Amino acid sequence: MGQLRYRNAIIYYMLPALVLYFTFFIIPFSRTFYYSLFEWNGFGKTTFVGMQNYVWLMQDELFLSGIGRVLQWAGLAILLKVGSGLVLANMLRRPVKGSKFFSAAFFMPVVISTAAIALMFTLIYDLDAGLLNTVLRQMGLGDWTRIWLGDKNTAFYAVIAAPIWHTIGYFFIILLAGMQNISEEIYESATIDGANAWVLFTRITIPLIWPILQICMILAITGAVKNFDYVFIMTKGGPGTSTQVPATYMYDTIFVGLKYGYGTAIAFTIFLFSLIVTLVFRKLTTIKD
């Protein structure tokens, strides 16, 4: 049997990837932190303020409220996106008539662009011609109609409904692939022992795909924390600041408020927050042998 040996030529094959990684990640990442230590409008003279931007950020109620929103968003993403994907994947775990059609139908929204999905939901929420209000009127629930994206009480939930619906199919496909790798003999043995569908799902399916399920939940969390496009397209953080999240606040701070140093501090904090939340969640959800 042959042995694996390190060859110097390997580094030459890795070099293009390393150059790209260094150019498009390491350098921008380092410069982001560097500029976060200055008070700067992006054009004029820079003034070194050290960690003061981060001190101000920890006292910024708008940023802290945005953190609270993305945590809520992450919780709903796990419950609805990953949860729905898990249920749908379990329904199609065994091939049934039309399973290929349903798999394609569930995944189809994922291939649509974010801008198109955001525009579609904006039209659905329209007060006069929107599908949601039209259905409510037809059902005799006219009192429930409202300007969904213009009401501070509903705007945030109306916005996050778009990405949740948009990416359910993404998690469905991942989880379905994991379930189909489970040997059918395990299910057959459990069924012979008297296990019902609920026991098969909770005692066999979930434990055996738990590492995959954990990754899906982490992807849902990080997607919520760094999300920008849905909010920016649908509400731009409004009405007022009711849908403002850290990423849109960063954009407004840099490109509207011309506070480049403070804005890059927000960007770097988003990265650190996402990393910490991911590590903590992974630690809490890791099943020890």
Side-chain angles (χ1 to χ4, degrees):
M1 183 180 293
Q3 295 181 345
L4 293 177
R5 292 183 300 173
Y6 175 78
R7 297 178 183 274
N8 293 331
I10 294 176
I11 194 66
Y12 297 109
Y13 292 100
M14 296 176 59
L15 192 60
L18 292 174
V19 170
L20 290 173
Y21 183 76
F22 187 80
T23 303
F24 294 104
F25 181 78
I26 298 299
I27 293 178
F29 181 81
S30 302
R31 289 179 67 84
T32 296
F33 178 71
Y34 173 76
Y35 284 121
S36 71
L37 303 178
F38 292 85
E39 186 175 350
W40 185 38
N41 63 6
F43 302 99
K45 183 180 178 181
T46 60
T47 303
F48 181 77
V49 294
M51 300 299 291
Q52 188 60 46
N53 280 328
Y54 294 95
V55 174
W56 291 332
L57 193 59
M58 292 301 101
Q59 301 171 354
D60 192 330
E61 293 184 2
L62 189 55
F63 175 77
L64 296 177
S65 62
I67 290 292
R69 290 189 190 97
V70 295
L71 288 176
Q72 187 178 3
W73 188 331
L76 291 173
I78 292 174
L79 179 65
L80 299 177
K81 285 202 292 190
V82 181
S84 298
L86 180 64
V87 171
L88 293 174
N90 190 62
M91 291 171 60
L92 296 179
R93 178 179 60 82
R94 290 182 175 179
V96 296
K97 186 177 181 180
S99 58
K100 291 184 179 180
F101 167 78
F102 288 113
S103 295
F106 293 151
F107 186 74
M108 188 174 295
V110 179
V111 303
I112 304 174
S113 70
T114 299
I117 294 295
L119 177 59
M120 181 182 75
F121 270 80
T122 300
L123 296 174
I124 289 174
Y125 294 137
D126 185 82
L127 177 62
D128 299 316
L131 177 63
L132 180 56
N133 283 332
T134 300
V135 170
L136 290 174
R137 293 189 189 99
Q138 293 296 324
M139 295 175 62
L141 300 173
D143 292 340
W144 289 20
T145 61
R146 64 189 67 205
I147 307 175
W148 297 94
L149 295 176
D151 188 330
K152 291 183 178 181
N153 297 319
T154 61
F156 177 69
Y157 300 103
V159 169
I160 65 176
I164 287 175
W165 179 84
H166 189 190
T167 52
I168 286 176
Y170 176 72
F171 296 105
F172 158 75
I173 288 295
I174 296 174
L175 294 169
L176 179 62
M179 290 181 187
Q180 290 179 339
N181 283 329
I182 301 174
S183 175
E184 195 63 32
E185 294 177 356
I186 299 176
Y187 290 104
E188 292 174 356
S189 299
T191 302
I192 293 173
D193 290 338
N196 56 28
W198 176 251
V199 172
L200 294 177
F201 179 64
T202 56
R203 300 294 181 87
I204 295 177
T205 303
I206 291 182
L208 290 179
I209 66 164
W210 183 253
I212 299 173
L213 190 58
Q214 185 186 49
I215 291 173
C216 288
M217 289 188 285
I218 289 173
L219 289 173
I221 292 172
T222 55
V225 171
K226 65 184 182 181
N227 196 277
F228 168 82
D229 40 8
Y230 295 99
V231 176
F232 183 77
I233 294 172
M234 296 176 71
T235 64
K236 288 184 172 58
T241 59
S242 60
T243 61
Q244 191 78 279
V245 292
T248 55
Y249 184 45
M250 174 196 68
Y251 176 89
D252 289 342
T253 301
I254 294 176
F255 297 105
V256 179
L258 295 179
K259 298 179 180 179
Y260 195 90
Y262 191 59
T264 52
I266 297 174
F268 194 79
T269 304
I270 292 173
F271 165 77
L272 290 179
F273 179 74
S274 180
L275 179 63
I276 291 170
V277 170
T278 299
L279 292 176
V280 170
F281 181 83
R282 187 176 180 84
K283 181 70 174 179
L284 293 176
T285 57
T286 298
I287 299 176
K288 296 182 179 179
D289 297 332

